[in-house]
Amino acid sequence: MPKQSPVSLDPRSPLVLDTRELPRRPGALRTVNRVVPAPSDLGGELIAVPEGADLELDLRMESVSEGVLVSGTVSGPVRGECGRCLREINDSVAVTIQELYAYENSTTDVTTEEDEVGRMQGDLIDLEPAVRDAVVLALPTNPLCRQDCPGLCPDCGVHWDDLPADHSHQQIDPRWAGLSQLTRTEE
């Protein structure tokens, strides 16, 4: 029994591809080059693609016997903060995606589990889940402003880069604090 997607796709949505101009014969190919606004929550807590930022799609849609193979790259800006020193990070991400979208009522549609392969709704393909998976998995869970970021001083919270080389916080055990008075010189 063919599986049907419960949500109908909006062909005007930026991450929905229309395949009407792609012939349904294996080997037919169309390229898609467009800039679309990034959806919300495209990333993690410390680093993400800002909602509405420009995502560049450079894709190929290729007809195969059971559906449409979409492959190519997605790139865009990322913003966040360093996991060690909390400085702002402004970078970019470029990821490769490759996803098969099965035709409705195709053998692949019948013989695979719902989450094994993408599904087409008529002539429409929803790219958002594939883009989200690729981008989120490519972003670090603990981003750094630079590989050798020393972080913050745990005692005063100042960036180690901004402190002198001999910076320290002498910790005196309160039980011995009275003895520190003996080392002071009289003026």
Side-chain angles (χ1 to χ4, degrees):
M1 175 171 223
K3 299 168 186 86
Q4 298 294 327
S5 183
V7 178
S8 66
L9 296 177
D10 180 0
R12 296 173 307 224
S13 177
L15 287 171
V16 171
L17 299 179
D18 191 341
T19 64
R20 282 182 287 183
E21 294 183 18
L22 180 67
R24 287 194 175 198
R25 65 174 188 274
L29 176 71
R30 294 286 184 263
T31 59
V32 176
N33 295 304
R34 65 169 83 154
V35 176
V36 301
S40 63
D41 300 324
L42 192 55
E45 289 183 24
L46 292 178
I47 194 162
V49 175
E51 182 176 358
D54 288 345
L55 282 181
E56 293 182 40
L57 305 179
D58 185 16
L59 305 172
R60 292 169 30 130
M61 293 189 306
E62 184 176 357
S63 285
V64 294
S65 60
E66 294 298 318
V68 175
L69 179 66
V70 177
S71 59
T73 59
V74 176
S75 56
V78 292
R79 306 282 182 266
E81 62 183 27
C82 179
R84 287 187 189 156
C85 71
L86 306 178
R87 285 191 173 144
E88 185 176 334
I89 296 175
N90 292 304
D91 203 357
S92 62
V93 65
V95 295
T96 302
I97 64 170
Q98 184 169 349
E99 184 83 20
L100 173 65
Y101 293 89
Y103 293 130
E104 289 179 341
N105 304 317
S106 69
T107 305
T108 301
D109 194 37
V110 175
T111 61
T112 60
E113 295 297 320
E114 189 171 344
D115 60 349
E116 282 184 82
V117 68
R119 309 287 179 200
M120 292 182 64
Q121 288 186 25
D123 292 323
L124 301 177
I125 293 173
D126 184 10
L127 279 181
E128 187 172 338
V131 168
R132 183 174 302 286
D133 288 349
V135 170
V136 171
L137 290 174
L139 295 175
T141 55
N142 190 21
L144 300 177
C145 58
R146 64 178 205 263
Q147 284 304 112
D148 63 342
C149 175
L152 304 173
C153 172
D155 294 316
C156 63
V158 175
H159 293 272
W160 277 112
D161 288 338
D162 299 337
L163 295 171
D166 63 343
H167 175 75
S168 69
H169 295 273
Q170 187 175 3
Q171 299 291 332
I172 298 175
D173 187 326
R175 296 171 293 179
W176 298 98
L179 293 176
S180 68
Q181 301 299 322
L182 296 175
T183 59
R184 288 192 180 160
T185 58
E186 296 288 328
E187 292 185 21

